[in-house]
Amino acid sequence: MFEDLRSYLSYLEDQGQLLRVSEEVDPKFEVAAGIRKTSDIRGPALLFEKVKGFPNWRVLGGLFATQKLVALGLRVQEDELLERYLALEDKRIPPELVPDGTENTTSWTGAEIDLKRLPIVTHSERDVGPYITIGIQIGKDIETGIRNVSIHRMLLAGKDRLSLWAPPDHHLGRLIAKAEEKGKGLEVATAIGVDPAIIVGSQAKVPMGVDEFEVAGGLRGSPVKLRKCQTIDVEVPASAEIVIEGVTLPGERISDGPYGEYQGCYSESKQAAVLKVTAITMRENPIYQTCLAGFPVTENHTLIEYANAAYVYREVKKIVPEVKGICMTPGGTFRHHVVVSIKKRQEEEARNVILVLLASGVGIKHVIVVDDDINVNIPLEVEWAVSTRMQPDRDIIIIPRLACSTLDPSVPKPRTTAGWGMDATMPMGDHEWFDKVTVPGVEKVKYLKSYERL
Ligand code: MN
């Protein structure tokens, strides 16, 4: 596995999946424009080597711009990502504490702290300002000491101030609220520029109380090496490019947003927690990493696709033993819409699948259930099943007003949604009038080989 971000970048370069950009780019919009473009053309990750106003800095973007890049980061084949992710997510290897080595050659504390010296990027047109978008936040429950690892956006709000938008139904948001209830701040470290398994592992849909570094350990096949922070009692990946140490200010809030979010629209301004920075440490010639959210598909979507698909798979598997495929759809932002193919054992089983997924609270708004002869990854096949196996008056379920983690702007009130599902499976028993029409011998036609598009 990769020891750190730099060894992963060399590997990507060898694979032709990292482009060094030597022309000068402005951190305001120009870095994000490159990430947008490479995401749209399914291109490589980008290492910007000349950033306007920030000599000696390099900015990395689009590290997970495509599913191929996610697969490379976990060293698995792209077509077996879900299967491998499911196995690796369960492995759970605890992290290992190592002494603070010499890697963090720069350390700013007290008056030296100045976030404005970091090349923090402004991404989308109507964003309120520059955001740190792919910092790994590490915080501990003030009662149990159990660690949580997650990613939240942070708005630059001063030399030593950042917003920390962690909603109350997210684990870190809960930890901040728990500390505040006791009149305390929560110590939070933010690690930027770590190996890809840590970033992917931080997105695992594991329950509160599970240390996501253990999941990352399983994904990378060896323990994540952690070191202690300098000013707070939190551990961070030892090889991180940059670490921002800080503590939330209890009761203080800052206006955060608009921000171009994962659902492809701007989210409105929110009252976010405030982080007071207590130290910034860096490696020599640090690489600052950013990530683009916004209209699908970007790295913000691919990064969570498999964590979400794995969660859905496990939920469906609890009620139907044979789950053939799961597709979190790109237009559904890899969160709102899911297509599930199952081998039914009894009539109406698809309705149970719909209900369990709508009730899960992870952001699912629409579930389509199809039979196991439908490839969930081919939209035409799914639509065909809907058009020939589904009757709306009989097969659509609508559940109003569910608590749900979603930023969908159509919802009646925040973090609520109606959910709907379609049973597009055929009746069990005699399939004669539902089967696909086929022509014998298509696989024997060789003369069209050169015309075949993959
Ligand atoms: Mn967690």
Side-chain angles (χ1 to χ4, degrees), residues 38-55:
T38 200
S39 307
D40 292 344
I41 64 169
R42 302 184 59 74
L46 302 172
L47 187 63
F48 298 97
E49 296 187 315
K50 199 168 176 198
V51 183
K52 193 175 172 187
F54 296 88

Side-chain angles (χ1 to χ4, degrees), residues 41 84 104 111 122 135 152 167 175 177 271 297 301-302 308 319 342 358 364 401-402 433 446 453:
I41 64 169
R84 294 286 297 138
N104 291 271
T122 304
H152 302 274
L175 298 186
Q271 289 300 303
V297 175
H301 305 99
T302 53
N308 283 346
I319 50 174
I342 58 167
L358 293 181
I364 295 172
R401 302 195 317 278
L402 294 163
W433 310 111
K446 302 287 186 238
R453 280 180 299 154

